Amino acid sequence: GGGGVAVYDAGSDTGSQDRMQLLAELRGLLDDGDPQGRLRLHYQPQVRLSDGAVTSVEALVRWDHPERGLLLPAAFLSIAETSGLEVRLTCHLLALAVRQAAAWRLAGSPYCVAVNVSPGCLVDAGFVPAVLATVAGAGLPPELLRLELTETSIMADPASTVRALCEIRDQGISVSVDDFGTGFSSLAQLRHVPADELKIDRMFIKELGQDDGTPDAVMVRSAIDLGHNLGLSVVAEGVEDVGALIRLRDMTCDFAQGYALSRPVPADKLPEACERAERT
Ligand code: C2E
Ligand code: CA
Ligand code: CA
Ligand code: CA
């Protein structure tokens, strides 16, 4: 309000041409199997608050674009997800993550790798078989793979999503409900969702502060209790300062992830990043 604010207009000619261009390039990469490895994953450690150990890492996509530089998901993910490329992109990235997890395990660091799954994947009949084939092909113990799904994508088609999640969990792969607290109807539906973990969205962690009575502190405490009462482990994402880390531990939150511990890093930088996170 009041003017003076520049808003990027995604609907303008250049904006939509830009999107068309990125879409064509992305489709090309997926068609060719991305031989140059332009689509890559960065990994962010998750620390267990009871003892400070890194047990899991989240895989986050980056696109090393020849002209535009390193693109974050915000620059291209919605393009993929609104153009029917989400299943192919998710499967491509899942294969990278699974191979990396298998390599870490052989190197003596058996991290569980959490992969973000685009909405639309679990209602695709080919997705679950593809996941299972990838895990089997890499010889990865299924316990070392976790799938992260947002609340909103689960609620889009609860019946078929629940079926797919049951199948995945039957095979030993775990399931995380991402961005918890940002969707609607979460409480009514959550009890029917076959999951292992709940991730409290960063918007609630950001202003956790020192005071027990703030709405965000109440929300976080309730989410932790809710998760525990449903038998889920609870992760706080977007933890940016050590104060919040201590508060979350006192609130009996199980895991934390955020810049206070480590930024997402390329696979070769992960050992250092984990050491630093474990010292924090
Ligand atoms: P998300 O799943 O909620 O992932 C967490 C995001 O928060 C990541 O942004 C991460 O870099 C960022 N983050 C982590 N710690 C902090 C912190 O302490 N402070 C702040 N301000 N941010 C933090 P990123 O990598 O840009 O990803 C954004 C979103 O894009 C993800 O949100 C996820 O929904 C989606 N995404 C990322 N990678 C993939 C992928 O491989 N596949 C799919 N389908 N979606 C992905
Ligand atoms: Ca996530
Ligand atoms: Ca999240
Ligand atoms: Ca989030």
Side-chain angles (χ1 to χ4, degrees):
V5 178
V7 176
Y8 174 65
D9 181 2
S12 75
D13 281 348
T14 44
S16 62
Q17 261 177 27
D18 232 37
R19 289 173 67 90
M20 297 284 283
Q21 166 112 38
L22 282 175
L23 174 59
E25 290 171 353
L26 186 60
R27 185 170 279 132
L29 285 180
L30 293 172
D31 284 346
D32 299 347
D34 187 19
Q36 293 182 297
R38 292 281 175 193
L39 295 171
R40 23 189 103 136
L41 292 169
H42 282 188
Y43 296 89
Q44 187 176 35
Q46 284 178 6
V47 163
R48 184 163 60 202
L49 288 168
S50 61
D51 64 357
V54 174
T55 51
S56 304
V57 298
E58 179 178 4
L60 296 156
V61 66
R62 292 350 181 195
W63 180 354
D64 183 13
H65 192 282
E67 287 113 41
R68 301 173 199 239
L70 197 69
L71 299 180
L72 291 170
F76 62 90
L77 198 61
S78 73
I79 299 175
E81 291 179 346
T82 53
S83 310
L85 285 182
E86 71 271 27
V87 179
R88 291 179 64 201
L89 178 63
T90 300
C91 288
H92 180 83
L93 299 171
L94 183 108
L96 296 180
V98 162
R99 260 181 267 144
Q100 184 61 62
W104 278 325
R105 172 174 173 262
L106 289 179
S109 302
Y111 298 123
C112 178
V113 176
V115 174
N116 290 284
V117 173
S118 288
C121 289
L122 285 182
V123 296
D124 185 296
F127 182 71
V128 172
V131 172
L132 301 181
T134 302
V135 170
L140 184 74
E143 298 73 32
L144 296 183
L145 177 64
R146 181 152 56 237
L147 302 185
E148 295 197 2
L149 286 115
T150 63
E151 229 184 316
T152 328
S153 80
I154 295 169
M155 297 325 156
D157 186 348
S160 62
T161 304
V162 164
R163 229 176 299 123
L165 293 181
C166 285
E167 230 181 296
I168 283 166
R169 290 182 75 230
D170 280 347
Q171 302 295 319
I173 297 166
S174 58
V175 169
S176 182
V177 178
D178 204 352
D179 297 351
F180 179 73
T182 61
F184 291 116
S185 71
S186 49
L187 294 187
Q189 302 276 359
L190 189 68
R191 67 200 157 108
H192 300 304
V193 175
D196 303 278
E197 179 183 279
L198 184 156
K199 283 187 98 166
I200 305 174
D201 193 70
R202 142 173 128 228
M203 73 184 282
F204 303 104
I205 309 297
K206 213 166 52 187
E207 286 165 30
L208 200 52
Q210 293 303 314
D211 184 353
D212 275 354
T214 64
D216 284 349
V218 170
M219 168 69 204
V220 170
R221 194 184 302 279
S222 309
I224 293 170
D225 286 346
L226 176 72
H228 287 166
N229 288 333
L230 290 171
L232 308 175
S233 56
V234 179
V235 185
E237 69 172 17
V239 182
E240 294 188 350
D241 60 89
V242 176
L245 210 54
I246 293 166
R247 291 215 61 206
L248 287 161
R249 192 192 56 199
D250 292 345
M251 289 174 164
T252 72
C253 186
D254 303 292
F255 297 91
Q257 179 184 349
Y259 296 166
L261 295 156
S262 171
R263 295 200 167 239
V265 296
D268 60 331
K269 298 278 190 313
L270 190 75
E272 293 167 53
C274 289
E275 269 176 46
R276 232 177 305 117
E278 289 183 339
R279 277 200 305 271
T280 303

